[in-house]
Amino acid sequence: AVDVLTSCALAQSKRKLVAKLLQTKVLQAIFLNAESDQEMRGFPTGLLLASLCDLLVPGCGEDATVRFGDVGRPFWEKTDFFNSLGACLLAAIRTEQWPPQSGIFHRPWKLARACKDLSLAGFGADLAPCVAPLVSLVVARRGAGDSLGDTDADAVTASHLAAAALRGLAGSGG
């Protein structure tokens, strides 16, 4: 279920809908599930929180301004999420499975979107492990040229999102 929610949350058009579904009690259940199988559920849960990091958690009270990133920070620290994100992004660029031998292949554009969201939400300092892979996405795209006939929409999207993440890092001093 977390994988499906994460995939939906990484789609710009569905982020707010997914956030509405994840009230405090649902988040608590997701955290318990992730802690019971941290190796398989930890990264997807962290990625879900990253993709919603700038949005408010519903059900925290009328005056509460708790963002998913605020709730996620302790979880990210506990699971070493940002190092995992950098390693996963590098593996995705190389079209390798991550975690190794898992059979799971991530899409660079989805991971770049999470990096962009994190950088723009003020988590730029945590993204140091992702800088080199983000730069390589931009450089690879630049090296391929920007011809109008280019059919690799995922590579174009990944490059644009990586560039936005890096601009967010530069703007935040991260």
Side-chain angles (χ1 to χ4, degrees), residues 7-174:
S7 187
C8 291
L10 287 165
Q12 192 65 34
S13 62
K14 294 181 174 70
R15 290 177 75 233
K16 291 183 180 178
L17 177 61
V18 172
K20 285 181 184 179
L21 297 173
L22 298 176
Q23 296 195 13
T24 306
K25 289 186 180 194
V26 175
L27 276 176
Q28 289 170 345
I30 287 172
F31 284 138
L32 284 174
N33 184 37
E35 289 173 8
S36 70
D37 186 7
Q38 194 168 358
E39 187 173 318
M40 289 304 294
R41 300 276 47 101
F43 184 74
T45 299
L47 192 57
L48 174 61
L49 295 167
S51 66
L52 302 171
C53 65
D54 59 320
L55 301 177
L56 297 178
V57 177
C60 286
E62 291 179 25
D63 299 328
T65 56
V66 178
R67 301 177 306 162
F68 282 93
D70 302 324
V71 171
R73 182 174 289 288
F75 183 80
W76 294 329
E77 290 171 359
K78 181 178 180 181
T79 60
D80 198 26
F81 173 73
F82 291 100
N83 281 322
S84 295
L85 180 59
C88 184
L89 183 53
L90 189 58
I93 291 167
R94 295 175 178 164
T95 60
E96 297 172 355
Q97 52 190 319
W98 196 92
Q101 285 79 50
S102 68
I104 301 170
F105 293 85
H106 295 270
R107 304 294 294 264
W109 74 264
K110 290 184 176 185
L111 300 170
R113 176 172 300 284
C115 290
K116 179 197 79 125
D117 293 339
L118 287 161
S119 72
L120 296 176
F123 297 97
D126 299 301
L127 287 170
C130 301
V131 171
L134 289 168
V135 169
S136 72
L137 282 173
V138 174
V139 170
R141 181 72 208 121
R142 203 63 207 131
D146 283 322
S147 66
L148 293 174
D150 193 339
T151 57
D152 192 356
D154 281 359
V156 173
T157 301
S159 177
H160 287 272
L161 291 167
L166 292 167
R167 281 191 302 274
L169 289 172
S172 70

